[in-house]
Amino acid sequence: MLTSHLLTTLDAVRVIRARVGDIPGMPAEFWTSAALAALLHDAGKVPDGFQRMIGNLARQKPVVWGERHEVLSLGFVRLLLTDLPAEQRDRVAAVVAGHHRPFTSGLERVSKLPLFTQYADDRPEDFAGKFTPASPERLTALMEWLHATGRRYRLPFPETVPAHDIRQLTDAAHRQFQNVMDRWEWELPPGDAGGTTAVLLLGAVTMADHLSSAHAPLAGRNPLNENYPVRLAERLAGQGHALRPQQRQAAATLGNLLLRSWTGSGKTEAVLLWATTQIDDLAARTNGNPRVFYLLPYLASINAMTGRLAEDLHSPDGIGVAHSKAASYHLARSLSDGCTGDDTDLTDAAAKARSRAEATKNFRELLRIGTPYQLLRGALAGPVHSSILTDSANSVFILDELHAYDPRRLGMILAILGFWHRIGGRVAVLSATMPTALADLVTRALDGRTTLVQPPAELQPPVRHRLHTRQAHLTDERSLAEIRQRLTHGQSVLVVANNIRDAIGLYEALGPFCAELHGEGSAHLLHSRYRRMDRTAIETAVRKRFASGTPRRPGLLVGTQALEVSLDLDLDSCHTSAADLEALVQRFGRANRLGALAPVPVVVHQPAYATRGGELWADGVYEAEPTLHGWDILTRHDGRTIDEQVITGWLDEIYAGPWGRTWAERVEYHRQEFEDAFLEFSHPFDDRSHLAEVFDRQFEGSEVILRQDHDDYRTSLEQADDKAVSRLHADQYLIPVPSWCTSLGGYDKRLKICVVEGDYDEHLGLRAIHPDPHQKYEPGEIL
């Protein structure tokens, strides 16, 4: 029922206000405007044409109306808000008009007609013709209900119900629509804050609209609360420990934090203590209930952190997983918790997983773990994404391993950090080896307002590694002989290649030898080109054998950068191809992770350099110049023990040189480019949907299925009544690939997936994709 929906949307705005609080830089009447827009946003559904379209008119067959109800809703805005200042009324009107469709299409053609294109040339009589007939009784009842509800909620409505009939309503809608066009048809002048206000206001209303339909209450208490410092102190005391100095300093810091501390020094606990302090301070300052976003670069590390925090905070269901594979994560967790695996259990688990993922999409949890990518999508704004920005106001952001990003991604992230800072957010960046250049860039993005916390000079990091360099490539027979010798001596050996081809070759050369020595299940391969079902099984087996804190067992783990910051592992030694120093630090961290052994060998092998795209790359993956500079530093320290403080100094040396200065300029260029294009909001109601694909390619690549899995994939999609649940079943067949790989396969239009011919093995993963121009696909299915 229309009035019920409008009322629940209005109530949802009040709930959102209680959560978000007072946003810095917004007009004093911001939340009043949001409430007005929520109450009036769908009032234009009163005409017979709309009622017929949804089947509400007896004895008339439903038929597409063709008009936009939100445009007629502007008539209610005009008639009911006559006493409102014109600027505020026009802002409410813009949000009401823009809560479904963009006003203009920007540079790209869109699939649905923008509002200005559809109605710009209409005269008052055109509006009258398009939005009539309408029942006078229905209109009067709705107008009286809106007036009474607004007065009851103390909204600035007139004392009496305004005069109205359908022609008065359409004329008022036309006048208000003209005002909306006058304000928003052209680009806003530089420095006009009205664009940001409009986007955040639109976000509040669209979030309320979704919540009113979701029927799921927002969480009221953050699992990260005042109990955490108490429980942490008790746990440490029980182990004979106390808070470290850097943890106490982080807990006492108000405002943005840069935390540089070695692996195993309690960075996670320190930043959670900091976040607890920010939650309390922001709640008092904003009258809100701050959200906490823990952001990590890789899905596996996100999933691991979710499990860790669920245990540490005693809140298995209070933490949201905010990444594109969230439902798959919840499904995997359900299955590992005891699902028998039959179709009934699997379908039930998938339905629950989908429900959890949808709850996070609807902003339920106050603590969410995800990728920066998910929040960056808020910059697309519009009816779909602006609510992400509104929800991020007055929030707490923790960015773990920020150095994992290239200049373009880092520039984009720095831009959004600055935006969060401007709308009341608090940011923490933490790393074991944060170079000064990165700390400076973050500080600049946050208006110079950061506090650097690190262990005091008298506390020395544990020495866990002894560095060795080898001229022989990692795949050279001399390298293989050295690794075999370690396996013969009963070590667990981590071998990290720079590309998948080398990783597979190394596993094929070393895996059988290890299995013969230490039994089946002692050798494993992990990279990014597996079906989800196979990767899940491999990760489970890897954790079982090599997880930190478990009894040490000999064995072999071969992989790529997928191992760098994903799984919490602890092996006896590491052999790796040379890459940039930050990547190497992450690889080293998987050997002697807990420092239980004397310094263990980390052996770095010189990579092969080749030209790609006119530039030189190490093993085809890592930029040559920083890799070569890092190699020079490594060879100067061959045979020495190393720690993360030493490596931070090495990073500062690289970033202070010519390459580092160029890198910083590139980062700054991309930061400014992203801020100008996306965060100025000079066209806040313009369509940006065409840029979503750019985001996807930049951050996540694409996914394909194998031709031999095509029938099983289709069957999985059809096996449940709920399409979203079926999708979770089918997603187990997906293989992540670079976006360009999709050009090698065919596209199934019905299943909406790229299908490839490939060499695939459940243990080795995807080795090759074979384009087949002569493949005959079923008509209507494959292009």
Side-chain angles (χ1 to χ4, degrees), residues 392-718:
S392 67
N394 296 325
S395 292
V396 179
F397 303 90
I398 299 168
L399 287 91
D400 202 341
E401 304 301 346
L402 182 62
H403 60 241
Y405 300 94
D406 62 20
R408 184 181 180 189
R409 294 186 187 185
L410 178 57
M412 295 165 69
I413 290 170
L414 291 175
I416 200 71
L417 293 188
F419 181 81
W420 292 337
H421 176 69
R422 291 193 294 275
I423 59 172
R426 303 278 177 84
V427 175
V429 175
L430 57 153
S431 172
T433 56
M434 186 188 306
T436 302
L438 177 59
D440 289 345
L441 286 171
V442 174
T443 299
R444 193 181 312 159
L446 298 174
D447 292 333
R449 300 176 184 176
T450 60
T451 298
L452 175 63
V453 171
Q454 52 190 349
E458 62 269 18
L459 290 183
Q460 294 299 311
V463 180
R464 298 180 292 133
H465 304 126
R466 185 176 297 278
L467 173 67
H468 303 277
T469 59
R470 300 285 187 265
Q471 296 294 325
H473 192 269
L474 185 61
T475 60
D476 190 274
E477 181 54 40
R478 288 169 293 176
S479 305
L480 299 180
E482 186 174 1
I483 296 170
R484 290 191 188 101
Q485 186 177 31
R486 296 191 190 283
L487 292 170
T488 302
H489 291 160
Q491 291 187 13
S492 56
V493 185
L494 173 66
V495 181
V496 186
N498 285 341
N499 59 58
I500 293 173
R501 180 189 64 253
D502 287 350
I504 293 175
L506 287 161
Y507 178 76
E508 289 181 315
L510 297 168
F513 178 82
C514 180
E516 184 176 348
L517 280 175
H518 303 299
E520 292 297 324
S522 62
H524 301 275
L525 171 69
L526 181 61
H527 54 75
S528 59
R529 306 284 183 260
Y530 286 97
R531 298 184 304 181
R532 287 192 196 171
M533 64 179 78
D534 298 327
R535 175 163 181 142
T536 299
I538 292 169
E539 287 184 353
T540 300
V542 167
R543 280 193 295 265
K544 184 176 180 180
R545 191 167 191 96
F546 302 120
S548 296
T550 60
R552 292 189 171 276
R553 302 170 68 185
L556 172 71
L557 175 58
V558 181
T560 61
Q561 60 264 38
L563 291 169
E564 287 174 11
V565 288
S566 56
L567 304 176
D568 183 15
L569 308 175
D570 190 1
L571 288 88
D572 296 333
S573 58
C574 172
H575 283 255
T576 174
S577 287
D580 66 65
L581 272 180
E582 288 165 300
L584 292 180
V585 171
Q586 296 301 318
R587 299 175 189 185
F588 296 168
R590 270 63 200 161
N592 198 17
R593 184 168 181 80
L594 301 182
L597 307 175
V600 303
V602 290
V603 185
V604 184
H605 297 256
Q606 186 166 234
Y609 291 93
T611 301
R612 174 168 63 85
E615 297 182 359
L616 199 61
W617 298 83
D619 290 328
V621 176
Y622 290 93
E623 193 175 348
E625 189 171 352
T627 303
L628 286 165
H629 197 158
W631 176 255
D632 178 62
I633 293 173
L634 294 172
T635 55
R636 298 201 312 258
H637 296 83
D638 187 17
R640 300 184 188 179
T641 56
I642 58 174
D643 58 51
E644 282 136 326
Q645 282 187 347
V646 169
I647 294 172
T648 299
W650 296 350
L651 289 170
D652 282 345
E653 178 183 335
I654 292 175
Y655 283 105
W659 175 87
R661 289 192 292 272
T662 301
W663 170 86
E665 290 171 359
R666 290 165 61 195
V667 172
E668 176 59 24
Y669 170 81
H670 289 300
R671 186 201 65 78
Q672 193 64 55
E673 178 186 50
F674 187 77
E675 184 169 305
D676 292 344
F678 287 92
L679 298 175
E680 290 295 330
F681 301 114
S682 56
H683 278 295
F685 297 100
D686 198 2
D687 178 70
R688 299 186 181 189
S689 59
H690 61 285
L691 295 169
E693 185 179 345
V694 177
F695 270 66
D696 293 339
R697 287 200 306 267
Q698 175 69 18
F699 284 88
E700 293 203 338
S702 299
E703 291 176 312
V704 300
I705 60 170
L706 300 166
R707 175 150 298 282
Q708 61 260 38
D709 289 335
H710 182 271
D711 291 345
D712 290 335
Y713 182 81
R714 181 179 60 207
T715 300
S716 295
L717 283 175
E718 297 169 350

Side-chain angles (χ1 to χ4, degrees), residues 299-434:
L299 299 188
S301 54
I302 290 166
N303 297 344
M305 182 59 70
T306 303
R308 174 179 176 175
L309 294 188
E311 181 178 348
D312 287 353
L313 303 179
H314 304 289
S315 182
D317 298 318
I319 301 172
V321 182
H323 59 66
S324 60
K325 310 299 185 296
S328 294
Y329 162 79
H330 289 300
L331 177 60
R333 179 181 168 193
S334 295
L335 298 180
S336 66
D337 284 346
C339 175
T340 63
D342 63 38
D343 288 345
T344 301
D345 276 359
L346 191 58
T347 299
D348 182 57
K352 292 178 179 177
R354 180 228 175 173
S355 178
R356 283 293 310 276
E358 287 299 312
T360 298
K361 283 184 180 179
N362 286 319
F363 311 102
R364 187 186 73 177
E365 298 97 348
L366 288 162
L367 173 58
R368 294 172 226 155
I369 304 177
T371 63
Y373 161 81
Q374 294 298 319
L375 294 181
L376 267 171
R377 285 187 74 91
L380 294 173
V384 177
H385 301 102
S386 56
S387 53
I388 297 173
L389 295 179
T390 305
D391 183 58
S392 67
N394 296 325
S395 292
V396 179
F397 303 90
I398 299 168
L399 287 91
D400 202 341
E401 304 301 346
L402 182 62
H403 60 241
Y405 300 94
D406 62 20
R408 184 181 180 189
R409 294 186 187 185
L410 178 57
M412 295 165 69
I413 290 170
L414 291 175
I416 200 71
L417 293 188
F419 181 81
W420 292 337
H421 176 69
R422 291 193 294 275
I423 59 172
R426 303 278 177 84
V427 175
V429 175
L430 57 153
S431 172
T433 56
M434 186 188 306

